[in-house]
Each structure stands twice: as C-alpha cells, then as structure tokens.
Amino acid sequence: MNVLAALLPRRSEARSDWPALPFGDWLELWNNPMNLLFSQTLKGNQETLESSFKGYIAGAYKMSGPVFAAELTRMMPFSEARIMWRDIVDGRPGDLSWTPELEIFRRPWRGGTTGDLLARSLLDADLGGNSYTTIRGSGSRRRFKRMRPDWVSIVIGVDGAADPDADPVADLDGEVIGYLYRPGGLCSGNEPIILLPDEVAHFAPVPDPDAQYRGMSWLTPVLREIMADKSATLHKLKFFENGATPNMVVTLDKDIDPDEAKQWLEYFKENYSSAANAYKTLYLAGGADVEVVGSNFQQLDFKVTQGHGETRILMASGVHPVVVGSSEGLQGSSLNAGNYAQAKRKVGDATLRPLWRSWCGSFETLVQPPPNKELWYDDSDIKFLAEDLMDSAEIQSRKAQTITGLIKDGFTPDSAVEAVINDDFTLLEHTGKLSVQLQPSDGATEPSPESEGDANDDQNA
C-alpha cells in the first residue's frame, strides 16, 4: 500500500491551511518497536521481562503484586474525574461549565462511562507508553474508539523535502502527518487504517527521550526491580514447596547400592518434601548424614529485601508507599494520620493532576472547544482528594476575608477582588474614603495649612 498516495489527498481535504507541496519521498513510518516483541522469553535458565505492551501486561501487570497495586492506585482515582469546559479569561482559568458536545465523554461507547474511558487511556499509556483514541460514526452513533498502542504507528514527514535520503525525524521541519492503525499488529498482514493528526487523541504523559512524539511506560526504568521482586516471590514459593526448610545436603554411605539410593530418595521426597510435610521428625539410617547449607528467611532479612524492591517500583509509579499500603509504608510513623494525608496529597498534586492536564490537552484534538474555553476536569467529587478540597476551601475563605478587609479600608470592590485573585496588590484602587477608625476623634477636623499659618502669626503678635 502506498501510504503517501492515500494520506496526502486526505490531508489536503481536511486542512486547507496545510501547504499543497508534496512530501516527496520524505516519509518514515515510526513504528513502535513493541510490535515485534513477545511477552516473556527464556534466556538460559532465566525468564526475562520484555519491553513490550504484551510483555508488560503478562509479565508485570498480571504477574507482579506491587505493579498491579501501584497501577490500581493510579487508575481508580484518575477514573473518577468528570470532563468539563473551563473558561479562559484574560489568559487565566475561570469557571467550569458543561455543554451537550461533552455528552460523548459521558457515554464514550455503548455501555461505557467517563471512568471507563479514563481508565483505558491511562492503562494503555502506563503499560504501552502511549494511548491512541479516535472517533468513529456520526450523529447519535458517534463513539470513541480505543486503539491498542502496539497496533499504531506514527507517520513523520517533511513538506517540500529536497533530499529523499534525509531523516525526517531529525529534520527541524519534520512533523506528524498521520497515524497508521493496523488491526492485529505490524506482522498481522492486515491493511492499515490511515488517520490524520486531528483524528487521533495521542496521550503520552511520560515522554520517551529517544523519540520526538512517542511516550514511554513508567515500568521501563524498573524492569530489573520487577524481575527481582518476582524472583523473590518465586524463592518464597520454592521455600515452602521444598519443605519449608533451609537447603540441605544429604550424604549417603558410599557403599550403598544405586537402586537402593534411588528408592530411598523417592521415599524421602514423598514423605519430607513440600510444605504439607514441614516440621516432621527426620529419621536417617545407613550412614546418611544431613548438613544445612542454606539460609532461612530471617537470616536473609527477606522482608526488608523485598520491601525495598516494592518501594523502588512505587517510586517510579508516582504512588507513595504509604498510600498503596506496601510493607515499608506500614511501619512506624508512616501510619500517622498527618503522614498519610501528606502522602495522599503528593499523589494528587504530583501524579494525578498532571495526568489529567495532559489527558485533557490530548483529547482537545477530537472535540473542538468553544471560544475562550478549554477541555478540563472536575475533581470536586473525588473522595481521594477530599482533604485537598478542604484546604482549597480554607484558602478561599482567607481570600474572602482579605477582600473584605481591603474594601473596609477604602479600596474599590472590583480592584480588591482582582488584586487577590491575581496575587498582585498593585492592582488596588482607592476610593478616597477612609474608615471611621482613621477619622479624627470627637468630630474635629484637621487644620488646613492656611489656618495653621494664621495661628502662628497671632502667637507672634
């Protein structure tokens, strides 16, 4: 399929302000490398976690407790927001409002809700680095359509390129000219569906430093920690499966018959291996000798070792260990109510709100905002952020008191409100009227300069 031949006519029809110059041969299909990778592979005797969408799902999200807990803590409060318009007044944010154009966010697909759309978008972005959404249908059948991130390629091109061998990604004039959605993936053989830039909401909250437009999963920097945590869990499982005892070496008499040794070994495994046979008395005969060569969990300091790994995974996710309830987050003063409130506030301020801001900016591509408005989120009903809302109410109360005090001191109401909202007291304008406390006592008026001069002349005379 000739991508240029199919993409450029649609590009010219969709946007009249785009230049009519041909793209020539300057085109790169920026395929996500995750298309070519599988979930997990075996290298020697070690199972490794692949850096792929399927790999992160099968090897991390579905197989790692800390990863699943961190993702769930990110996804659940993120999915509770409501999508609204926000007024922009003189470049500053204003009130929230709703119009019928936002109904598609309330019912993104049949049976779906705003929370489903938000959860799916975040899950794709967290595991695949990118979330791609488009709109299909028209009228009452207009619906959002989620596209798997490993089935989408970004098309990069340069207008009027003179050198067909140059790299459009590195060129200063390179830009996204479209997206290719190939159902089933790059190797499926299916014909790709071509979409223009204004037909796709591309949500990539964590940029990939190696790419201009592509995002990166937060799991990428902690792959080794995830693998170590899974190995620790496997070690714990094998500990119980193999007798819930330390590793042992059993030495048999050198003169024992091999067949008898084999029978004795089978008998030993049947009666003394596995957690069900733990703590049985061990009887040996025939010159057999037992020597402990391993370490138990206490000697390995197993809880601390695995707890440190959990914390490093949670650090990358932007979720505080106290909030998710990890082993290290449940110790000592971490359970203090003040510490928990501060940890929860950090998750809201440093993780959730930037994610919502990025998501709304991405979806403005699909829903054209009215004049002087932007797509925004309403978090007023999210219980997870309730304490933040209480703090916000206290701040508003203090602002109201400041405005009242300024008006009592003689400043105009409009300038007092504007000065407090903009945190700029140079905007204050005075009415020229002073409060009662600043008036002279007993109704006396201050003498004018002329009267003071006459009084002095009388005294001299």
Side-chain angles (χ1 to χ4, degrees):
M1 176 182 184
N2 191 327
V3 179
L4 283 176
L7 182 61
L8 293 178
R10 292 194 60 206
R11 191 173 188 266
S12 301
E13 295 171 3
R15 290 279 299 274
S16 59
D17 58 327
W18 268 329
L21 296 175
F23 272 63
D25 296 327
W26 275 51
L27 173 71
E28 177 179 358
L29 301 184
W30 195 350
N31 294 305
N32 195 320
M34 295 190 300
N35 290 315
L36 306 177
L37 300 176
F38 299 97
S39 59
Q40 297 184 46
T41 59
L42 281 174
K43 294 182 179 179
N45 61 348
Q46 296 182 354
E47 185 182 40
T48 62
L49 179 62
E50 297 287 359
S51 301
S52 68
F53 184 61
K54 293 179 64 176
Y56 286 160
I57 292 174
Y61 183 68
K62 292 185 177 181
M63 292 293 291
S64 173
V67 171
F68 180 78
E71 187 60 34
L72 208 61
T73 307
R74 287 166 60 94
M75 184 171 59
M76 288 306 180
F78 182 81
S79 64
E80 290 192 36
R82 291 183 296 177
I83 307 304
M84 307 284 284
W85 298 123
R86 185 170 73 167
D87 295 337
I88 300 298
V89 182
D90 295 331
R92 298 186 61 85
D95 297 332
L96 297 176
S97 60
W98 189 90
T99 63
E101 288 79 9
L102 296 176
E103 179 67 21
I104 188 173
F105 289 99
R106 200 172 69 87
R107 289 289 180 263
W109 50 76
R110 182 173 297 178
T113 63
T114 305
D116 297 328
L117 175 64
L118 290 168
R120 284 288 185 176
S121 297
L122 185 65
L123 200 58
D124 283 349
D126 284 351
L127 300 180
N130 305 269
S131 168
Y132 302 98
T133 307
T134 188
I135 291 182
R136 309 297 283 180
S138 59
S140 60
R141 301 178 63 87
R142 195 165 177 258
R143 295 288 184 266
F144 283 122
K145 176 64 179 179
R146 168 220 176 216
M147 298 180 288
R148 272 186 53 156
D150 54 338
W151 292 358
V152 178
S153 300
I154 305 174
V155 185
I156 310 296
V158 179
D159 280 320
D163 184 2
D165 297 325
D167 181 9
V169 178
D171 194 284
L172 292 177
D173 295 322
E175 62 175 337
V176 177
I177 63 171
Y179 296 86
L180 297 184
Y181 172 67
R182 193 185 301 267
L186 182 65
C187 303
S188 65
N190 296 326
E191 198 73 8
I193 299 174
I194 299 175
L195 299 168
L196 297 176
D198 55 0
E199 295 177 313
V200 177
H202 181 192
F203 174 49
V206 181
D208 187 344
D210 288 332
Q212 180 67 27
Y213 303 102
R214 194 174 62 231
M216 182 185 77
S217 170
W218 67 262
L219 296 174
T220 302
V222 288
L223 286 183
R224 292 183 180 274
E225 295 294 339
I226 296 171
M227 292 168 60
D229 183 78
K230 292 176 65 177
S231 297
T233 303
L234 180 61
H235 171 81
K236 181 171 59 176
L237 177 63
K238 290 299 181 181
F239 182 86
F240 290 108
E241 286 182 348
N242 294 321
T245 59
N247 299 336
M248 294 184 296
V249 173
V250 179
T251 305
L252 302 179
D253 192 299
K254 62 183 178 61
D255 296 327
I256 190 172
D257 183 82
D259 293 334
E260 293 180 357
K262 184 177 181 180
Q263 292 176 4
W264 184 88
L265 182 60
E266 292 176 353
Y267 174 83
F268 185 89
K269 288 183 177 180
E270 180 180 352
N271 290 275
Y272 294 100
S273 294
S274 79
N277 294 316
Y279 309 110
K280 284 185 176 181
T281 303
L282 181 64
Y283 297 96
L284 299 174
D289 184 28
V290 175
E291 181 182 0
V292 177
V293 297
S295 301
N296 57 32
F297 283 162
Q298 185 175 5
Q299 293 169 334
L300 289 172
D301 209 356
F302 187 79
K303 180 179 179 181
V304 174
T305 302
Q306 196 166 28
H308 286 340
E310 292 175 355
T311 301
R312 291 169 69 89
I313 293 172
L314 296 176
M315 286 169 57
S317 72
V319 178
H320 199 284
V322 173
V323 177
V324 81
S326 71
S327 59
E328 289 195 331
L330 297 177
Q331 298 179 12
S333 62
S334 298
L335 295 178
N336 182 276
N339 291 342
Y340 179 75
Q342 291 296 325
K344 206 166 59 164
R345 178 179 299 175
K346 180 182 183 300
V347 175
D349 294 344
T351 301
L352 294 178
R353 289 191 172 92
L355 287 173
W356 279 319
R357 184 183 301 111
S358 177
W359 189 91
C360 291
S362 301
F363 272 75
E364 272 194 10
T365 306
L366 301 180
V367 183
Q368 186 67 30
N372 299 321
K373 292 182 183 292
E374 66 177 351
L375 196 65
W376 204 245
Y377 61 92
D378 180 11
D379 59 359
S380 59
D381 294 334
I382 301 178
K383 297 301 181 182
F384 186 82
L385 304 176
E387 294 182 0
D388 287 352
L389 296 177
M390 291 177 59
D391 293 340
S392 177
E394 183 178 352
I395 292 173
Q396 295 297 328
S397 175
R398 292 186 178 182
K399 286 184 176 181
Q401 293 176 8
T402 302
I403 293 173
T404 302
L406 291 172
I407 295 175
K408 287 181 178 180
D409 288 339
F411 294 98
T412 63
D414 291 341
S415 69
V417 172
E418 190 174 1
V420 172
I421 291 178
N422 293 280
D423 194 19
D424 183 3
F425 276 48
T426 62
L427 301 175
L428 289 172
E429 297 178 1
H430 205 278
T431 60
K433 299 179 181 179
L434 300 176
S435 63
V436 176
Q437 287 80 2
L438 296 178
Q439 299 294 334
S441 59
D442 301 330
T445 59
E446 295 183 1
S448 62
E450 294 80 4
S451 61
E452 288 182 354
D454 295 340
N456 292 333
D457 293 339
D458 294 338
Q459 291 178 359
N460 295 331

